[in-house]
Amino acid sequence: MSRTLFGFGAHSDVADGPELLRMADQADRDGLDLFSLSDHPYLGGRADAYAAIGFILGRTRGLSGLANVTNLPTRPAPMLARAVTTLSALSGGRIVLGMGAGGRWDRIAGMGVPRLSPGAAVDAFEEAIVLVRMLSGGGPPVTYRGRYYRVDQIEPAPVPAPAVWTGSVGPRSLAATGRVADGWIPGHAADWRSERYRTSRPVIDEAAAAVGRDPGEIGTVFNLPGRITDRPLTATRDRDGRWVGGSAGQWVEELTTAVLEHGASGFILFAPDGGATDLVSLGRWAGEIVPAVREAILSR
């Protein structure tokens, strides 16, 4: 990734639609890079992630959209390829394809999707990324015979595939990220000081190198819950070492260190409980913290 990205976790409930639109408009005016929506189509109160992303992209000018992460089992790869390339074409490339193998299989299966074992779900996930790319960027019709996906003489969209970020957690999924993805969002809101990050990132790097890829081209974007306080906190991390937040200055110091010393590629702000960001916090994030981090990175 060529520059550090900054985004926010947005409201995903249908009832919160007006708030979602207000926040997207504000984030766009303030120069943030992206918004993130969860994708749980088996929950009736949730907005469809891709319908919401398309609507928001249509009323913003610089903000990119991300399903964090796409519930792949309910969105077959060939149709997903059509959706993301169309969104990319209409928005001027303002879409990131977040990909996951699927985690809540009891709910996923309830939508009529055949249940897969964890290993099979990861294999299908890697196939899907490969197929989305094959069905993007023009060229001759594609015939693909995978274990989980088959297409016969399907014309690719003329638009390149967007960047693919994964939410990989297990070693097989992490290795797939290294082989075929462009970015990684560590699971469970793990950050750059966590044991999960320290043990997982090498799996991605080794898998990338094994297929001739430069591991440095695969960015790490962190889902980062925390509160923004008026005064500095005596401790910005809890006893388990998890970031809890702090003053704007403490955020700037921590994020600048994450970029310069730990190679962070981006941050998506969430509420302290991991939920959607509120409008006040979004304003401080975009107006105080992000510009200061950008300036600090450039000055070092």
Side-chain angles (χ1 to χ4, degrees), residues 76-101:
M79 290 303 297
L80 184 60
R82 291 291 190 249
V84 295
T85 53
T86 298
L87 288 171
S88 182
L90 295 176
S91 69
R94 292 185 293 120
I95 184 74
V96 177
L97 176 54
M99 290 285 274

Side-chain angles (χ1 to χ4, degrees), residues 12-15 37-49 71 74-75 104-111:
S12 295
D13 287 353
V14 173
L37 287 172
S38 62
D39 186 24
H40 298 290
Y42 36 77
L43 300 178
R46 295 290 179 92
D48 177 83
N71 190 279
T74 62
R75 299 184 187 274
R104 301 175 65 175
W105 277 97
D106 287 342
R107 303 305 305 271
I108 293 169
M111 296 191 75

Side-chain angles (χ1 to χ4, degrees), residues 33-238:
D33 298 297
L34 72 157
F35 66 96
S36 163
L37 287 172
S38 62
D39 186 24
H40 298 290
Y42 36 77
L43 300 178
R46 295 290 179 92
D48 177 83
Y50 279 92
I53 287 171
F55 191 88
I56 293 169
L57 292 180
R59 57 184 281 153
T60 54
R61 302 186 65 179
L63 202 61
S64 293
L66 164 71
N68 187 358
V69 289
T70 302
N71 190 279
L72 177 62
T74 62
R75 299 184 187 274
M79 290 303 297
L80 184 60
R82 291 291 190 249
V84 295
T85 53
T86 298
L87 288 171
S88 182
L90 295 176
S91 69
R94 292 185 293 120
I95 184 74
V96 177
L97 176 54
M99 290 285 274
R104 301 175 65 175
W105 277 97
D106 287 342
R107 303 305 305 271
I108 293 169
M111 296 191 75
V113 177
R115 185 186 294 268
L116 297 178
S117 69
V122 171
D123 292 342
F125 155 84
E126 185 168 0
E127 267 192 28
I129 295 173
V130 170
L131 185 53
V132 167
R133 289 221 170 95
M134 292 175 70
L135 291 173
S136 309
V142 171
T143 295
Y144 179 81
R145 297 283 190 275
R147 182 176 178 185
Y148 300 96
Y149 293 102
R150 294 168 60 98
V151 296
D152 293 289
Q153 292 293 298
I154 299 300
E155 294 181 2
V159 182
V164 177
W165 299 353
T166 76
S168 297
V169 175
R172 291 184 62 183
S173 182
L174 291 165
T177 294
R179 288 189 291 268
V180 299
D182 305 299
W184 173 51
I185 305 170
H188 307 289
D191 68 29
W192 48 95
R193 298 184 187 275
S194 67
E195 181 68 16
R196 180 179 296 277
Y197 174 76
R198 288 193 295 270
T199 58
S200 297
R201 182 67 211 205
V203 178
I204 294 173
D205 294 348
E206 290 166 12
V211 296
R213 302 186 69 200
D214 177 2
E217 294 180 355
I218 304 168
T220 306
V221 179
F222 295 93
N223 287 335
L224 192 60
R227 57 196 178 102
I228 304 170
T229 59
D230 293 328
R231 297 180 180 181
L233 299 182
T234 55
T236 57
R237 293 181 177 270
D238 62 21

